[in-house]
Amino acid sequence: MSSTQESPLAHLIALAKDTVPPMHPAGRPFVIGAAVATLVLRRIWRPLGAVGAVLTAWCAWFFREPVRTTPTREGLAVAAADGAVAHVESAVPPAELGLGDEPMTRISTFLTIFDVHVQRAPVSGRIDKIVYRPGKFLSADLDKASEDNERNSMALRTEDGTRVAVVQIAGLVARRIVCEVAEGDIVAAGSTYGLIRFGSRVDLYVPADSEVLVEPGQRTIGGETPLAELPRGKRER
């Protein structure tokens, strides 16, 4: 066998790495805790250990962070999350971001517990503002969840001055919003910036004259699915 030829074992390992997504660091404490509980349960009664192993595997799967290929075409706002488009409507962005009172186009994506729960930057640009606001834990698919629920709002400015906002919203089961970026950071479209644990919603606000590229009910892939084409040459001073 030639030294440059890949062995069957190496090929299998490479396939496994491509197929099994890595886990977001925020999930490690949960997986470790579940694994320890599984060992304890197994000592008590083996079938309980089997149940614990399944739950540990599910926990690792829930916090998965798959590699995504983000479109490079200029002017696109991509999905910040995996899920289903729940609403496409005109709405004023969260007041705490200071984006004004003019309505923007809001595209809401609802995530179930079966979806990937990391959030990704919808555009490349600079983070102007991040504001966390405590609130209720209503079902994330309700219209009033955008206003009433716990949320973390982020305003971004693209290189040409276009401003967009993305909002992580806690849901009925979700009790923790994680945001790993800070004001002033430069982010790339499709890069992971946060996580909502266990069922949630993500709202994307784009300029009102953007061309929306999705319909309610459509499934999105975070970091890959184009949600809107931003207006050309728009500047925000």
Side-chain angles (χ1 to χ4, degrees):
M1 180 184 293
S2 169
S3 58
T4 59
Q5 190 175 7
E6 189 177 42
S7 70
L9 179 59
H11 182 63
L12 266 177
I13 292 172
L15 282 176
K17 286 182 177 178
D18 289 340
T19 304
V20 180
M23 184 175 62
H24 189 277
R28 290 172 188 164
F30 292 89
V31 175
I32 292 171
V36 170
T38 295
L39 293 175
V40 173
L41 290 172
R42 191 174 185 276
R43 291 178 68 89
I44 297 171
W45 190 37
R46 280 180 177 271
L48 280 179
V51 172
V54 170
L55 291 175
T56 302
W58 178 84
C59 198
W61 174 80
F62 177 87
F63 286 102
R64 64 199 185 279
E65 186 182 355
V67 176
R68 296 286 163 78
T69 302
T70 303
T72 56
R73 184 158 70 84
E74 219 174 305
L76 290 180
V78 299
D82 290 33
V85 177
H87 309 283
V88 177
E89 57 199 342
S90 178
V92 175
E96 60 265 27
L97 290 179
L99 295 178
D101 298 328
E102 289 296 317
M104 301 177 74
T105 297
R106 181 171 69 198
I107 304 170
S108 302
T109 302
F110 177 66
L111 296 74
T112 71
I113 60 171
F114 302 106
D115 288 308
V116 173
H117 271 64
V118 296
Q119 280 76 61
R120 301 171 188 270
V123 295
S124 295
R126 181 183 184 277
I127 299 173
D128 279 349
K129 198 166 188 179
I130 298 176
V131 182
Y132 168 78
R133 198 198 75 170
K136 300 177 182 178
F137 296 96
L138 304 174
S139 179
D141 59 346
L142 297 176
D143 286 343
K144 58 184 178 179
S146 291
E147 296 296 329
D148 296 343
N149 280 23
E150 175 181 326
R151 69 188 185 215
N152 188 73
S153 305
M154 181 169 76
L156 300 102
R157 188 191 300 264
T158 66
E159 188 176 345
D160 75 352
T162 304
R163 299 187 75 185
V164 304
V166 62
V167 185
Q168 299 165 286
I169 302 171
L172 190 64
V173 181
R175 286 294 186 274
R176 182 75 172 95
I177 295 175
V178 177
C179 182
E180 302 169 318
V181 291
E183 293 178 2
D185 286 355
I186 303 296
V187 294
S191 59
T192 300
Y193 79 88
L195 169 79
I196 314 174
R197 293 177 188 159
F198 309 116
S200 46
R201 170 174 165 174
V202 177
D203 286 349
L204 173 67
Y205 292 82
V206 295
D209 50 348
S210 301
E211 180 185 354
V212 177
L213 304 175
V214 290
E215 300 285 344
Q218 183 175 336
R219 297 285 304 174
T220 64
I221 300 174
E224 291 192 354
T225 305
L227 296 191
E229 185 162 3
L230 303 176
R232 294 179 181 274
K234 190 175 181 68
R235 295 287 196 276
E236 185 77 26
R237 300 296 182 185

